[in-house]
Coordinates of all heavy atoms in Angstrom, one line a residue:
Chain A
V233 N 103.6 98.1 83.6 CA 104.5 97.9 84.7 C 104.7 99.1 85.5 O 105.0 100.2 84.9 CB 105.9 97.3 84.2 CG1 106.6 98.2 83.2 CG2 106.8 96.9 85.4
V234 N 104.5 99.0 86.8 CA 104.6 100.2 87.7 C 105.9 100.0 88.5 O 106.1 99.0 89.2 CB 103.4 100.3 88.6 CG1 103.6 101.5 89.5 CG2 102.1 100.3 87.9
L235 N 106.8 100.9 88.3 CA 108.2 100.8 88.9 C 108.4 101.7 90.0 O 108.1 102.9 90.0 CB 109.2 101.0 87.8 CG 109.2 100.1 86.6 CD1 109.9 100.7 85.4 CD2 109.7 98.8 86.9
D236 N 109.0 101.2 91.1 CA 109.6 102.0 92.1 C 110.9 102.6 91.5 O 111.3 102.1 90.4 CB 109.9 101.2 93.3 CG 110.7 101.9 94.4 OD1 110.4 103.1 94.7 OD2 111.7 101.3 94.9
A237 N 111.5 103.6 92.1 CA 112.7 104.2 91.5 C 114.0 103.8 92.3 O 114.8 103.0 91.8 CB 112.5 105.7 91.4
D238 N 114.2 104.3 93.5 CA 115.4 104.1 94.2 C 115.6 102.6 94.5 O 114.6 101.9 94.9 CB 115.4 104.8 95.6 CG 115.5 106.3 95.4 OD1 116.2 106.7 94.4 OD2 114.9 107.0 96.2
T240 N 115.6 100.2 92.5 CA 114.8 99.4 91.6 C 115.3 99.8 90.2 O 115.8 99.0 89.4 CB 113.3 99.6 91.7 OG1 112.9 99.2 93.0 CG2 112.6 98.8 90.6
L241 N 115.2 101.1 89.8 CA 115.7 101.6 88.5 C 117.2 101.9 88.6 O 117.8 102.0 87.6 CB 114.9 102.8 88.1 CG 113.5 102.5 87.5 CD1 112.7 103.8 87.3 CD2 113.6 101.7 86.2
W242 N 117.7 102.2 89.8 CA 119.1 102.4 90.0 C 119.4 102.0 91.4 O 118.5 101.9 92.2 CB 119.5 103.9 89.7 CG 118.6 104.9 90.5 CD1 118.7 105.2 91.8 CD2 117.5 105.6 89.9 NE1 117.7 106.1 92.1 CE2 117.0 106.4 91.0 CE3 116.9 105.8 88.7 CZ2 115.9 107.3 90.8 CZ3 115.9 106.6 88.5 CH2 115.4 107.4 89.6
L251 N 122.7 112.8 92.0 CA 122.8 112.3 90.7 C 124.1 111.4 90.4 O 124.0 110.4 89.8 CB 122.7 113.4 89.7 CG 122.5 113.1 88.2 CD1 121.2 112.4 88.0 CD2 122.6 114.4 87.4
I254 N 124.3 107.6 92.6 CA 123.5 106.4 92.4 C 124.3 105.4 91.4 O 125.1 105.9 90.6 CB 122.1 106.7 91.8 CG1 122.2 107.4 90.4 CG2 121.3 107.5 92.8 CD1 120.9 107.6 89.7
L256 N 124.3 103.2 88.3 CA 123.6 103.0 87.0 C 124.6 102.8 85.9 O 124.2 102.8 84.7 CB 122.6 104.1 86.8 CG 121.6 104.0 85.7 CD1 120.7 102.7 85.9 CD2 120.6 105.2 85.7
P258 N 126.8 101.1 83.3 CA 126.9 99.8 82.7 C 128.3 99.2 82.7 O 128.5 98.0 82.4 CB 126.4 100.0 81.2 CG 126.7 101.5 81.0 CD 126.5 102.2 82.3
Y266 N 121.3 97.3 87.1 CA 120.2 98.3 87.0 C 120.1 98.7 85.6 O 119.0 98.9 85.0 CB 120.4 99.4 88.0 CG 120.3 99.0 89.4 CD1 121.5 98.9 90.2 CD2 119.1 98.8 90.0 CE1 121.4 98.5 91.5 CE2 119.0 98.4 91.4 CZ 120.2 98.3 92.1 OH 120.1 97.9 93.4
H267 N 121.2 99.0 84.9 CA 121.2 99.4 83.6 C 120.5 98.4 82.7 O 119.7 98.8 81.8 CB 122.7 99.7 83.1 CG 122.8 100.4 81.8 ND1 123.0 99.7 80.6 CD2 122.7 101.7 81.5 CE1 123.1 100.6 79.7 NE2 122.9 101.8 80.2
E268 N 120.9 97.2 82.9 CA 120.3 96.1 82.0 C 118.8 95.9 82.4 O 118.0 95.6 81.5 CB 121.1 94.8 82.2 CG 121.2 94.2 80.8 CD 122.1 92.9 80.9 OE1 123.3 93.1 80.9 OE2 121.5 91.8 81.0
F269 N 118.4 96.1 83.6 CA 117.0 96.1 84.0 C 116.3 97.2 83.2 O 115.2 96.9 82.7 CB 116.9 96.3 85.5 CG 115.4 96.3 85.9 CD1 114.6 95.2 85.9 CD2 114.9 97.5 86.4 CE1 113.3 95.2 86.3 CE2 113.5 97.5 86.9 CZ 112.8 96.4 86.8
Q270 N 116.8 98.4 83.2 CA 116.2 99.5 82.4 C 116.0 99.1 80.9 O 115.0 99.4 80.3 CB 117.0 100.8 82.5 CG 116.9 101.4 83.9 CD 117.2 102.9 83.8 OE1 117.5 103.5 82.8 NE2 117.3 103.5 85.0
R271 N 117.0 98.4 80.4 CA 116.9 97.9 79.0 C 115.7 97.0 78.9 O 115.0 97.0 77.9 CB 118.2 97.2 78.6 CG 118.4 96.9 77.1 CD 119.7 96.3 76.8 NE 120.8 97.3 77.0 CZ 121.1 98.2 76.1 NH1 120.4 98.4 75.0 NH2 122.1 99.0 76.3
S272 N 115.5 96.1 79.8 CA 114.4 95.2 79.7 C 113.1 96.0 79.7 O 112.1 95.6 79.1 CB 114.4 94.1 80.8 OG 114.0 94.7 82.1
V273 N 113.0 97.1 80.5 CA 111.8 97.9 80.5 C 111.6 98.5 79.2 O 110.5 98.5 78.6 CB 112.0 99.0 81.6 CG1 110.8 100.0 81.5 CG2 112.1 98.4 83.0
L274 N 112.7 99.0 78.5 CA 112.5 99.6 77.2 C 112.1 98.5 76.2 O 111.3 98.8 75.3 CB 113.9 100.2 76.7 CG 114.0 101.7 76.9 CD1 113.7 102.1 78.3 CD2 115.4 102.2 76.5
N275 N 112.6 97.3 76.3 CA 112.1 96.2 75.4 C 110.6 96.0 75.6 O 109.9 95.7 74.6 CB 112.8 94.9 75.7 CG 114.2 95.0 75.1 OD1 114.5 95.8 74.2 ND2 115.1 94.2 75.6
L276 N 110.1 96.1 76.8 CA 108.7 95.9 77.0 C 107.9 97.0 76.4 O 106.8 96.8 75.8 CB 108.4 95.9 78.5 CG 108.8 94.6 79.3 CD1 108.4 94.7 80.7 CD2 108.3 93.4 78.6
I277 N 108.4 98.2 76.4 CA 107.7 99.4 75.8 C 107.6 99.1 74.3 O 106.5 99.3 73.7 CB 108.5 100.7 76.0 CG1 108.4 101.1 77.5 CG2 107.9 101.8 75.2 CD1 109.3 102.3 77.9
Q278 N 108.6 98.6 73.7 CA 108.6 98.2 72.3 C 107.5 97.2 72.0 O 106.9 97.2 70.9 CB 109.9 97.6 71.8 CG 110.9 98.6 71.3 CD 110.4 99.4 70.2 OE1 109.9 98.9 69.2 NE2 110.5 100.7 70.3
V281 N 103.9 97.4 76.2 CA 103.6 97.5 77.6 C 103.9 99.0 77.9 O 104.8 99.6 77.4 CB 104.6 96.6 78.4 CG1 104.4 96.9 79.9 CG2 104.3 95.2 78.1
I282 N 103.0 99.6 78.8 CA 103.2 100.9 79.2 C 103.9 101.0 80.6 O 103.7 100.0 81.4 CB 101.9 101.8 79.2 CG1 100.9 101.1 80.0 CG2 101.5 102.0 77.7 CD1 99.6 102.0 80.2
V283 N 104.6 102.0 80.9 CA 105.4 102.1 82.1 C 105.0 103.3 82.9 O 104.7 104.4 82.4 CB 106.9 102.3 81.7 CG1 107.7 102.4 83.0 CG2 107.4 101.1 80.9
A284 N 104.8 103.0 84.2 CA 104.5 104.1 85.1 C 105.5 104.0 86.3 O 106.1 103.0 86.6 CB 103.1 104.0 85.7
I285 N 105.7 105.2 87.0 CA 106.6 105.2 88.1 C 105.8 105.5 89.4 O 104.9 106.4 89.3 CB 107.8 106.2 88.0 CG1 108.8 105.6 87.0 CG2 108.4 106.5 89.3 CD1 110.1 106.4 86.8
C286 N 106.0 104.7 90.4 CA 105.3 105.0 91.7 C 106.5 105.0 92.7 O 107.0 104.0 93.1 CB 104.3 104.0 92.0 SG 103.5 104.2 93.6
S287 N 106.8 106.2 93.2 CA 108.0 106.3 94.0 C 107.8 107.3 95.1 O 107.2 108.4 94.9 CB 109.2 106.7 93.1 OG 110.3 107.1 93.9
D293 N 114.1 115.4 92.1 CA 115.2 114.5 92.2 C 115.1 113.4 91.2 O 116.0 113.0 90.5 CB 115.3 113.9 93.6 CG 115.7 114.9 94.6 OD1 116.2 116.0 94.2 OD2 115.4 114.7 95.8
L294 N 113.8 112.8 91.1 CA 113.6 111.7 90.2 C 113.8 112.1 88.8 O 114.5 111.4 88.0 CB 112.2 111.1 90.5 CG 111.9 109.9 89.7 CD1 111.3 108.8 90.5 CD2 110.9 110.2 88.5
F295 N 113.2 113.2 88.4 CA 113.3 113.6 87.0 C 114.7 114.1 86.6 O 115.1 114.1 85.5 CB 112.2 114.6 86.6 CG 110.9 113.9 86.4 CD1 109.8 114.0 87.2 CD2 110.8 113.0 85.3 CE1 108.6 113.4 87.0 CE2 109.6 112.3 85.1 CZ 108.5 112.5 85.9
E296 N 115.5 114.5 87.6 CA 116.8 114.8 87.3 C 117.6 113.6 86.8 O 118.4 113.7 85.8 CB 117.6 115.4 88.6 CG 118.9 116.1 88.2 CD 119.6 116.5 89.5 OE1 119.3 116.2 90.6 OE2 120.6 117.2 89.3
V297 N 117.3 112.4 87.4 CA 117.9 111.2 86.8 C 117.4 110.9 85.4 O 118.2 110.7 84.5 CB 117.6 110.0 87.8 CG1 118.3 108.8 87.2 CG2 118.1 110.3 89.2
L298 N 116.1 110.9 85.3 CA 115.5 110.5 84.0 C 115.9 111.5 82.9 O 116.2 111.2 81.7 CB 114.0 110.4 84.0 CG 113.4 109.4 85.0 CD1 111.9 109.2 84.7 CD2 114.1 108.0 84.8
D299 N 116.0 112.8 83.2 CA 116.3 113.8 82.2 C 117.8 114.0 82.0 O 118.3 114.3 80.9 CB 115.8 115.2 82.6 CG 114.2 115.2 82.6 OD1 113.7 114.3 82.0 OD2 113.6 116.0 83.3
K300 N 118.6 113.8 83.0 CA 120.1 114.2 82.9 C 121.1 113.0 83.1 O 122.2 113.2 82.7 CB 120.3 115.3 84.0 CG 119.6 116.5 83.7 CD 120.0 117.6 84.6 CE 119.2 118.9 84.3 NZ 118.9 119.6 85.6
H301 N 120.7 112.0 83.8 CA 121.8 111.0 84.0 C 122.3 110.4 82.7 O 121.5 109.9 81.9 CB 121.2 109.9 85.0 CG 122.3 109.1 85.6 ND1 123.1 108.2 84.9 CD2 122.8 109.0 86.9 CE1 124.0 107.6 85.7 NE2 123.9 108.1 86.9
P302 N 123.6 110.4 82.5 CA 124.1 109.9 81.2 C 123.8 108.4 80.9 O 123.7 108.0 79.8 CB 125.6 110.1 81.3 CG 125.9 110.2 82.8 CD 124.7 110.8 83.4
H303 N 123.6 107.6 82.0 CA 123.4 106.2 81.7 C 121.9 105.8 81.9 O 121.6 104.6 81.7 CB 124.3 105.4 82.7 CG 125.7 105.6 82.5 ND1 126.3 105.5 81.3 CD2 126.7 106.0 83.3 CE1 127.6 105.7 81.4 NE2 127.8 106.1 82.6
S304 N 121.0 106.7 82.2 CA 119.6 106.3 82.3 C 119.1 106.0 81.0 O 119.0 106.9 80.1 CB 118.8 107.3 83.1 OG 117.5 106.8 83.3
L305 N 118.6 104.8 80.7 CA 118.0 104.5 79.4 C 116.6 105.0 79.4 O 116.0 105.3 78.4 CB 118.1 103.0 79.1 CG 119.5 102.4 79.0 CD1 119.4 100.9 79.0 CD2 120.1 102.9 77.7
L306 N 116.0 104.9 80.6 CA 114.6 105.3 80.8 C 114.5 106.8 80.9 O 115.2 107.4 81.7 CB 114.0 104.7 82.0 CG 112.5 104.7 82.2 CD1 111.8 103.7 81.1 CD2 112.0 104.3 83.6
R307 N 113.7 107.4 80.0 CA 113.5 108.9 80.0 C 112.1 109.3 80.3 O 111.2 108.5 80.2 CB 114.0 109.4 78.6 CG 115.5 109.2 78.3 CD 116.4 109.8 79.3 NE 117.8 109.6 78.9 CZ 118.8 109.9 79.7 NH1 118.6 110.4 80.9 NH2 120.1 109.7 79.4
R308 N 111.9 110.5 80.5 CA 110.6 111.1 80.9 C 109.5 110.6 79.8 O 108.4 110.3 80.1 CB 110.6 112.6 80.9 CG 109.4 113.2 81.5 CD 109.4 114.7 81.3 NE 110.4 115.4 82.2 CZ 110.1 116.1 83.3 NH1 108.8 116.2 83.6 NH2 111.0 116.7 84.0
N309 N 109.9 110.7 78.5 CA 109.0 110.4 77.5 C 108.6 108.9 77.4 O 107.8 108.5 76.6 CB 109.5 110.8 76.1 CG 109.0 112.2 75.8 OD1 108.2 112.8 76.6 ND2 109.3 112.8 74.7
H310 N 109.3 108.0 78.1 CA 108.9 106.6 78.2 C 107.7 106.4 79.1 O 107.2 105.3 79.2 CB 110.1 105.8 78.6 CG 111.2 105.7 77.6 ND1 112.5 106.1 77.8 CD2 111.1 105.4 76.2 CE1 113.2 105.9 76.7 NE2 112.4 105.5 75.7
L311 N 107.4 107.4 80.0 CA 106.5 107.1 81.0 C 105.0 107.5 80.5 O 104.8 108.5 80.0 CB 106.8 108.0 82.2 CG 108.2 107.8 82.9 CD1 108.3 108.6 84.1 CD2 108.4 106.3 83.2
A312 N 104.1 106.6 80.8 CA 102.7 106.9 80.5 C 102.1 107.7 81.6 O 101.2 108.5 81.4 CB 102.0 105.6 80.3
A313 N 102.6 107.5 82.8 CA 102.1 108.3 84.0 C 103.1 108.1 85.2 O 103.9 107.2 85.1 CB 100.7 107.8 84.4
W314 N 102.9 108.9 86.2 CA 103.7 108.7 87.4 C 103.0 109.2 88.6 O 102.1 110.1 88.5 CB 105.1 109.3 87.3 CG 105.1 110.8 87.0 CD1 104.9 111.8 87.9 CD2 105.2 111.4 85.7 NE1 104.9 113.0 87.3 CE2 105.1 112.8 85.9 CE3 105.3 111.0 84.4 CZ2 105.1 113.7 84.9 CZ3 105.4 111.9 83.4 CH2 105.3 113.3 83.6
V316 N 104.8 110.5 92.0 CA 106.0 110.6 92.8 C 105.7 111.6 93.9 O 105.5 112.8 93.8 CB 107.2 111.2 91.9 CG1 108.4 111.4 92.7 CG2 107.4 110.3 90.7
V342 N 106.7 96.6 90.7 CA 108.1 96.2 91.1 C 108.6 97.2 92.1 O 108.6 98.4 91.9 CB 109.0 96.2 89.8 CG1 110.4 95.6 90.3 CG2 108.5 95.4 88.7
L375 N 111.6 90.8 84.6 CA 110.4 91.1 83.9 C 110.2 90.1 82.8 O 109.1 90.1 82.1 CB 110.4 92.5 83.4 CG 110.4 93.6 84.4 CD1 110.6 95.0 83.8 CD2 109.1 93.6 85.2
T394 N 103.1 103.8 74.0 CA 103.6 104.8 75.0 C 103.5 106.2 74.4 O 103.1 107.1 75.0 CB 105.1 104.5 75.3 OG1 105.1 103.3 76.2 CG2 105.7 105.6 76.1
V398 N 101.8 109.6 75.9 CA 102.5 110.9 76.0 C 101.7 112.0 75.3 O 101.5 113.1 75.9 CB 103.9 110.8 75.5 CG1 104.6 112.2 75.4 CG2 104.8 109.8 76.3
R401 N 98.9 113.1 77.5 CA 99.2 114.1 78.5 C 99.2 115.5 77.9 O 98.8 116.5 78.5 CB 100.6 113.8 79.0 CG 100.6 113.0 80.3 CD 101.8 113.3 81.2 NE 103.1 113.1 80.5 CZ 103.7 112.0 80.2 NH1 103.2 110.9 80.7 NH2 104.8 111.9 79.6

Side-chain angles (χ1 to χ4, degrees):
Chain A
V233 58
V234 181
L235 300 162
D236 172 46
D238 291 329
T240 298
L241 282 171
W242 51 77
L251 192 63
I254 60 172
L256 193 53
Y266 294 102
H267 191 263
E268 223 175 278
F269 177 67
Q270 288 202 5
R271 190 176 293 281
S272 75
V273 173
L274 261 52
N275 284 339
L276 289 182
I277 293 175
Q278 271 304 310
V281 174
I282 56 172
V283 176
I285 284 184
C286 179
S287 166
D293 291 342
L294 183 132
F295 280 111
E296 194 183 9
V297 180
L298 297 191
D299 294 340
K300 294 188 184 141
H301 197 288
H303 297 307
S304 185
L305 296 170
L306 195 70
R307 300 296 183 191
R308 189 190 290 258
N309 267 359
H310 291 123
L311 303 184
W314 58 83
V316 181
V342 186
L375 297 172
T394 290
V398 172
R401 264 208 310 277

